[in-house]
Amino acid sequence: IAIWSLMTLTGLLVLEVNLALPDSNNNFSSMAAETLGIGGKVTAWLSCLLLLYSLTAAYIAGNASLLTVAFDFIDIAIPTWVNALLFIFILGGAVFWSTQAVDYLNRGLISVKGGLLVLVLGLLMPHIDLVNIISGQIPGQGKFLLAVAPIFLCSFGFHTVIPSIRSYMGKDSRMLKMVIIYGTTITLAIYLF
């Protein structure tokens, strides 16, 4: 809940800075240059570049691995690097086509993922012992909270897409604030459940 609060608040602050800039110049470099000067602009540009390249590499590697396992399941042996290229071309094609294509593809994939999450949680419910969860008497539980903190931070790490969301949805500050609040609250609800 603390991470959700922090990330939602900082997302709303980034949105406020973003909304103060013109539509054609609302990226992180522009926000940093406007508020922190040239040093902030260079730092923001390098930070975003490294973060997004790292996330992209991890995303491609993870999904290529999933494709390899899926193909192995149906007895088709395809090297992981080929699956990485396949993944890049399919999703890259959607990105190349249009923002709306990415939006629709994302909605479809998230809907499938949400349905599978509900199914898995439903199948797990009979095996959950609420007494252990409520009492907090599981030995060594504290060390696991520190281990999952980076996962929760990444789960609420949406800030880099705020300029894109603004460009896609327009400059309606009320709607953009609702997108951030609803999006983070849905994520929080899933993690709490």
Side-chain angles (χ1 to χ4, degrees):
I1 290 172
I3 292 172
W4 165 79
S5 300
L6 176 69
M7 299 303 270
T8 302
L9 177 63
T10 56
L12 292 170
L13 292 172
V14 169
L15 177 64
E16 288 300 318
V17 173
N18 189 273
L19 288 170
L21 296 175
D23 291 341
S24 61
N25 202 19
N26 70 342
N27 56 44
F28 270 91
S29 294
S30 301
M31 288 188 285
E34 193 69 31
T35 57
L36 302 171
I38 190 70
K41 179 178 181 172
V42 170
T43 302
W45 183 82
L46 283 172
S47 298
C48 284
L49 183 72
L50 293 173
L51 171 69
L52 294 175
Y53 275 133
S54 299
L55 289 173
T56 301
Y59 193 66
I60 291 168
N63 283 288
S65 165
L66 289 173
L67 284 174
T68 301
V69 170
F71 284 128
D72 285 347
F73 185 73
I74 57 174
D75 292 326
I76 299 175
I78 299 177
T80 303
W81 69 270
V82 173
N83 287 325
L85 288 176
L86 179 66
F87 178 76
I88 290 169
F89 285 123
I90 291 172
L91 263 72
V95 170
F96 181 75
W97 189 262
S98 71
T99 304
Q100 190 174 31
V102 172
D103 182 23
Y104 289 147
L105 180 63
N106 195 35
R107 288 182 196 188
L109 293 173
I110 290 295
S111 296
V112 169
K113 186 176 182 178
L116 291 172
L117 177 64
V118 169
L119 176 68
V120 166
L121 289 174
L123 293 171
L124 286 175
M125 290 305 260
H127 304 286
I128 294 174
D129 188 357
L130 289 177
V131 174
N132 287 336
I133 294 173
I134 294 169
S135 70
Q137 297 300 319
I138 302 170
Q141 184 178 8
K143 67 181 178 184
F144 296 119
L145 290 176
L146 288 176
V148 298
I151 295 169
F152 288 133
L153 281 171
C154 289
S155 299
F156 293 107
F158 60 92
H159 299 72
T160 56
V161 299
I162 289 173
S164 298
I165 291 171
R166 178 192 161 193
S167 295
Y168 183 59
M169 296 187 67
K171 204 171 177 175
D172 182 354
S173 67
R174 184 177 178 277
M175 179 63 75
L176 291 167
K177 287 175 186 176
M178 297 310 289
V179 165
I180 290 172
I181 292 168
Y182 287 160
T184 57
T185 303
I186 290 168
T187 304
L188 174 67
I190 290 169
Y191 275 102
L192 289 175
F193 188 67

